[in-house]
Amino acid sequence: DGGITQSPKYLFRKEGQNVTLSCEQNLNHDAMYWYRQDPGQGLRLIYYSQIVNDFQKGDIAEGYSVSREKKESFPLTVTSAQKNPTAFYLCASRGLAGGRYNEQFFGPGTRLTVL
Amino acid sequence: KQEVTQIPAALSVPEGENLVLNCSFTDSAIYNLQWFRQDPGKGLTSLLLIQSSQREQTSGRLNASLDKSSGRSTLYIAASQPGDSATYLCAAGETSGSRLTFGEGTQLTVNP
């Protein structure tokens, strides 16, 4: 069953802590993305990666970091420098070939709450 | 910078009605346009993708159209059902196809 998995589903963080959100895909997609969604709003791009060992900042990268050591994995670290980290985080991937070329597919999301 | 707007923000209709959701974008030089559905607390489900060279795409009761020159896309839902209740988001792909800019969505409620 191909798809995108995110873990954990819910995450609680204390002030001053770094936390890492996991995103894994088995769709053999080259590109992967991290978005943030706040209540009643659309999605805002945090970081994206089009190939292994390369990534670019999105519109709201401050306070976040990523790595792309494997094609299947694109973890997101929310650092203590992120002022308002409480949000719903969504990971996506995009294929660059095949029948659904250029279509983005999304994981189920991780809800992060800062206590 | 691309800006995407969806009107209305919320819509409530009786079951069986045909309806249209609107999406507008400021930069007509888009690579593609994608429509998604989001249920509460869930991720996004891709509904339709329209490439910039296409005018429309259809999937079952859904039909999406694209008019680049006017900066508009519409999602037509035929014979709406309570199970169609969700938030619908559109997203414009930039020229390289690598990034999407999202609208804030239209929250649809279909009443039995």
Side-chain angles (χ1 to χ4, degrees):
Chain A
D1 221 355
I4 303 171
T5 57
Q6 292 186 242
S7 61
K9 185 174 182 180
Y10 299 98
L11 185 58
F12 298 91
R13 190 193 93 172
K14 293 181 180 179
E15 293 275 358
Q17 282 184 335
N18 294 351
V19 290
T20 297
L21 283 60
S22 169
C23 177
E24 304 275 335
Q25 54 98 1
N26 61 4
L27 301 168
N28 198 32
H29 284 173
D30 294 284
M32 297 186 72
Y33 302 80
W34 275 106
Y35 295 90
R36 168 182 174 141
Q37 187 176 36
D38 293 285
Q41 297 188 24
L43 279 65
R44 292 184 289 168
L45 183 64
I46 304 172
Y47 269 99
Y48 65 106
S49 167
Q50 300 198 77
I51 56 172
V52 174
N53 292 323
D54 189 42
F55 47 82
Q56 289 79 39
K57 292 182 179 180
D59 299 320
I60 55 166
E62 185 174 352
Y64 300 96
S65 66
V66 293
S67 62
R68 186 87 187 278
E69 298 176 1
K70 298 188 298 182
K71 187 176 184 178
E72 311 79 46
S73 178
F74 191 40
L76 173 74
T77 296
V78 184
T79 75
S80 56
Q82 169 49 235
K83 300 303 179 189
N84 295 296
T86 295
F88 190 48
Y89 290 86
L90 288 157
C91 177
S93 68
R94 177 174 68 101
L96 302 183
R100 300 186 79 168
Y101 171 72
N102 251 346
E103 194 169 352
Q104 282 198 24
F105 295 92
F106 281 77
T110 292
R111 187 165 299 281
L112 172 64
T113 302
V114 174
L115 302 174
Chain B
K1 182 184 175 186
Q2 179 73 274
E3 293 182 5
V4 178
T5 304
Q6 292 187 247
I7 295 173
L11 181 63
S12 182
V13 300
E15 183 176 2
E17 191 163 298
N18 301 327
L19 59 101
V20 174
L21 305 182
N22 296 295
C23 172
S24 61
F25 45 92
T26 54
D27 185 350
S28 62
I30 61 170
Y31 191 81
N32 54 30
L33 191 129
Q34 199 166 349
W35 281 93
F36 297 89
R37 168 188 173 135
Q38 186 177 30
D39 293 288
K42 306 292 186 184
L44 276 65
T45 299
S46 179
L47 299 173
L48 291 164
L49 171 71
I50 311 176
Q51 303 291 357
S52 61
S53 59
Q54 298 174 320
R55 297 282 293 182
E56 65 178 347
Q57 281 285 341
T58 298
S59 176
R61 294 184 293 109
L62 305 179
N63 176 277
S65 67
L66 175 63
D67 184 344
K68 284 179 57 179
S69 61
S70 66
R72 293 180 182 178
S73 177
T74 61
L75 179 66
Y76 175 82
I77 302 177
S80 59
Q81 303 170 358
D84 294 331
S85 297
T87 297
Y88 291 80
L89 296 115
C90 71
E94 69 172 27
T95 51
S96 66
S98 61
R99 294 180 46 153
L100 291 176
T101 301
F102 282 82
E104 295 189 355
T106 293
Q107 185 174 0
L108 173 65
T109 303
V110 181
N111 301 300

